[in-house]
Each structure stands twice: as structure tokens, then as C-alpha cells.
Amino acid sequence: MKMEDIARMAGVSKAAVSLAFSGKPGVAPETRERILQIAQEHNYEFKPRKSVADAASKAITFLVFANSGLVVDSYYQQPFFRELIHFTEERCRALGYSLMFSTISLDKLDEGITSIAESGNSQGVILLGTNLDRMQISDISGKLALPMVVVDNCYETLPIHFVEINNMMGAYEAASHLIGLGHRHIGYISSSDRIHNFEERRRGFAYAMRERGVELDPDCLFTVEPTILVAQETLKNKLDDYLGAGKPMPSAFFCECDYIAISTVKTLAEMGLRVPDDVSVIGFDNIKEARIVTPELTTVHVEKESMAKWAVNALVQEIETGSTIRNKVSVDTQLVVRQSTRAV
């Protein structure tokens, strides 16, 4: 397969394909995603040739280590990551940098880091830390030997720039909203893949419940896949078993992310339960799809644009000044009330 074939399949010019592969500005994020997806589906590998102009250009690498959990090879198709990448690319362009993309399998971490470090194409790295633990991030930082900022995670004891979501605050606000509407029998639907964000959301939710003297029934804790937007048979079966044991349906559910919340709304509908008339549902992330589902989803807004700006600004400052001061930035959330919650 040639670049011309990918251009034809994507409905774009050959030049657009070249820009998408090189990570240079000039193509829209959604177009770049479509081109990269087609290339991946057809096992096409593109290695851009270096030139004097390329060597002199200012570039930042958006680095992702994919696994079989929440962050997979096609992570850029997931709404949260898609929006974060869009804002990151915009901020890079505003500061005179192009944004390149590198996705490496976690089981090839060492080879991937060596390849980036030896290429000399990038002045710094924005690392997606969503699915990485402390030791992995520390290892990546040491081996890259490049200015680096980690987004969507934080480990306070590492001398590295971090930009994370204030997950605890967001879940605290969500629980407070439900309790303020009169809900006392509240269910919690968690992700089967556990990451830093979800653990912090559970802490914030539990803190708000304790503060207001509301107990979370252990039987009302349910676990589902976090990246499915349709009704989940496993959740339906768990709820059927719960109701079959003679227990009352919770009047509201907090879901650890919008994907889970949207899937929950659809699952409840298949069970003949109306949202919010019978059950209220609240999510987390405020992805664009939260406005498309019926009813529109009450959720916690994550300031992805602010996260991107903080990350790029910190990285560029280190690149251009050599600053050795590291920052840990926690970006506050905001509750967005729509139609999926109501008072009891």
C-alpha cells in the first residue's frame, strides 16, 4: 500500500497524509485521526525522512504507551483523549511548535523510549499518564532525558511536571448534587479498569457521603467495562440479580466516567426504567456525547483546554529557559446539571 492509496481511502490529498504522519500542523485533528486509523488498519508504517528544515523545526511529541486496558492503540478515538489532543495541538501551534504523535505498546517500552531519544526530532515530550504507574513514569522520564510533562495523572514524590484533573473535587460535587436533590439510596458504578483518576473519584464521592451522614450500601457497588457506549448485558444481569434478591433500586447512580453513565442510561432503558423519572444518573468528564444521549447527561466538566495549556506552557518554558523547577497542577472541575438528574 502507498500513501496515495491511504489518501484516496481517507478522501484527502497526499500532502495531508504526509502532514498527518509527521505530526505537523495543517490538518484537522479529526482528519489526522481518520488517516492514522486507516494506516493502522492496513498495517502501513510510515517513517518520515529527515531534512535540514525538519531538524531545525520546533516539535513536541505526544507520547502514549498503550495496553489492553483503558488506553488502547485507538485511544485517539475516545472522546476524552480526542478533545485533550485537539487542545494540546492548538496550544503547541500557538507557541510555534508542531505536535508529533507516538504510540508504543507497553511491552515495548524500552525500545520505544530509545527510538524517541535517539531520533532527535523532538525538543520535549507530553506523556499521557492515564494508565501508567509511578515506576513506569519514573523510568520513562529517566530514559528519555528530555523535558517532559505528564498529563492526566500525578505522583507528588516524582520531580516531574504533572497536570491532572481535580478528580476528588469533581466526585465530591457530584455526590453533593445528588444528596442535595434528596437522594439517600445512591448506587456507585465503577470501572473494571482501575486507574489513578477513578480511585480519586471514589475517594471524593465517599468523602461527600460521609460528610452528609449518608451511607453507601456495599450491595449498590457495581463494576462494568469503562469504554462501552451501548447497554451492557453484564450490568443488566447484576441489577436483575440485585432486584431479584428483594432489594430496592437506588434512586440515583454515580458513574465514574461518561462512557459508563451513557451505558447505564441505555441499560436502564432496556430494563424499562426511565431516567430521571425512575432513576437519576450522573457521569464524569463532560464529553461531547453527553449532550447527544437522551436525556442529556448531568456530569462533571473536565477543563481539557486548561489542562492542555498548562502542560504545553510548562514544557515550552523548560525547553526554552532550561528551568529546573517542576510543577504539580490540579485543574478544578465544574458540575454541569442537565436532564438526567432530578429531585426525589
Side-chain angles (χ1 to χ4, degrees):
M1 174 173 283
K2 300 179 180 179
M3 285 179 64
E4 292 87 347
D5 300 317
I6 294 177
R8 175 178 49 79
M9 297 172 70
V12 298
S13 66
K14 181 180 175 181
V17 174
S18 179
L19 289 172
F21 285 148
S22 65
K24 294 180 179 179
V27 292
E30 57 269 18
T31 302
R32 188 192 310 279
E33 292 168 12
R34 186 167 72 252
I35 292 169
L36 294 176
Q37 182 181 2
I38 292 171
Q40 182 181 358
E41 290 173 349
H42 292 82
N43 297 316
Y44 181 87
E45 295 186 6
F46 175 75
K47 296 182 179 179
R49 292 173 294 178
K50 288 186 181 180
S51 66
V52 175
D54 287 335
S57 66
K58 298 193 297 183
I60 289 170
T61 296
F62 192 92
L63 177 59
V64 177
F65 287 91
N67 57 17
S68 58
L70 197 66
V71 181
V72 295
D73 287 337
S74 57
Y75 72 95
Y76 48 81
Q77 293 179 336
Q78 297 180 35
F80 177 87
F81 298 130
R82 184 174 66 233
E83 293 173 31
L84 182 62
I85 289 169
H86 168 71
F87 290 123
T88 301
E89 190 166 30
E90 277 193 341
R91 188 58 181 168
C92 285
R93 188 179 299 120
L95 296 183
Y97 285 77
S98 61
L99 187 64
M100 304 185 297
F101 298 91
S102 181
T103 304
I104 301 168
S105 174
L106 260 179
D107 59 8
K108 296 181 179 179
L109 187 148
D110 287 342
E111 303 101 294
I113 293 174
T114 300
S115 176
I116 292 173
E118 293 180 350
S119 71
N121 291 331
S122 181
Q123 281 72 56
V125 170
I126 295 176
L127 173 66
L128 183 67
T130 308
N131 59 327
L132 301 176
D133 62 31
R134 184 185 183 281
M135 291 302 297
Q136 289 168 330
I137 292 174
S138 179
D139 191 32
I140 292 166
S141 175
K143 291 178 178 177
L144 271 177
L146 284 170
M148 186 178 85
V149 176
V150 180
V151 294
D152 204 31
N153 205 334
C154 185
Y155 291 98
E156 290 83 355
T157 56
L158 290 179
I160 298 170
H161 291 293
F162 285 94
V163 179
E164 68 165 343
I165 305 162
N166 191 340
N167 291 285
M168 190 167 178
M169 173 185 175
Y172 177 93
E173 289 182 326
S176 299
H177 171 67
L178 294 177
I179 296 170
L181 291 175
H183 295 281
R184 295 297 181 270
H185 187 43
I186 302 172
Y188 190 104
I189 305 184
S190 66
S191 164
S192 56
D193 291 314
R194 303 312 297 166
I195 59 174
H196 167 81
N197 288 345
F198 295 152
E199 296 299 340
E200 289 298 292
R201 290 171 195 181
R202 180 171 289 186
R203 285 182 59 212
F205 183 86
Y207 185 84
M209 296 279 280
R210 288 195 306 270
E211 186 178 72
R212 289 160 175 78
V214 180
E215 292 187 9
L216 178 61
D217 184 350
D219 290 336
C220 292
L221 293 170
F222 304 94
T223 302
V224 298
E225 294 292 324
T227 57
I228 298 175
L229 279 171
V230 297
Q232 295 196 44
E233 190 67 23
T234 53
L235 177 59
K236 182 177 180 296
N237 291 338
K238 289 176 181 178
L239 290 173
D240 281 338
D241 291 342
Y242 173 85
L243 295 173
K247 299 173 182 177
M249 175 66 78
S251 63
F253 283 108
F254 170 76
C255 303
E256 285 186 331
C257 68
D258 283 349
Y259 260 68
I260 293 175
I262 292 170
S263 176
T264 297
V265 169
K266 295 182 177 181
T267 301
L268 292 171
E270 288 194 358
M271 297 175 66
L273 295 169
R274 299 166 299 167
V275 174
D277 296 339
D278 299 317
V279 186
S280 288
V281 175
I282 189 168
F284 201 116
D285 285 335
N286 195 28
I287 60 176
K288 291 181 179 178
E289 285 74 2
R291 298 295 299 270
I292 299 173
V293 68
T294 302
E296 291 187 5
L297 188 65
T298 295
T299 184
V300 176
H301 175 68
V302 173
E303 262 295 326
K304 295 171 278 289
E305 184 173 7
S306 292
M307 291 176 66
K309 285 183 177 179
W310 277 105
V312 176
N313 289 353
L315 185 60
V316 169
Q317 181 180 25
E318 182 172 346
I319 291 170
E320 298 185 352
T321 70
S323 172
T324 58
I325 302 299
R326 303 292 184 265
N327 296 298
K328 309 289 189 289
V329 177
S330 180
V331 180
D332 282 354
T333 57
Q334 184 176 6
L335 182 69
V336 179
V337 179
R338 298 195 180 107
Q339 286 78 50
S340 67
T341 55
R342 60 171 292 181
V344 293

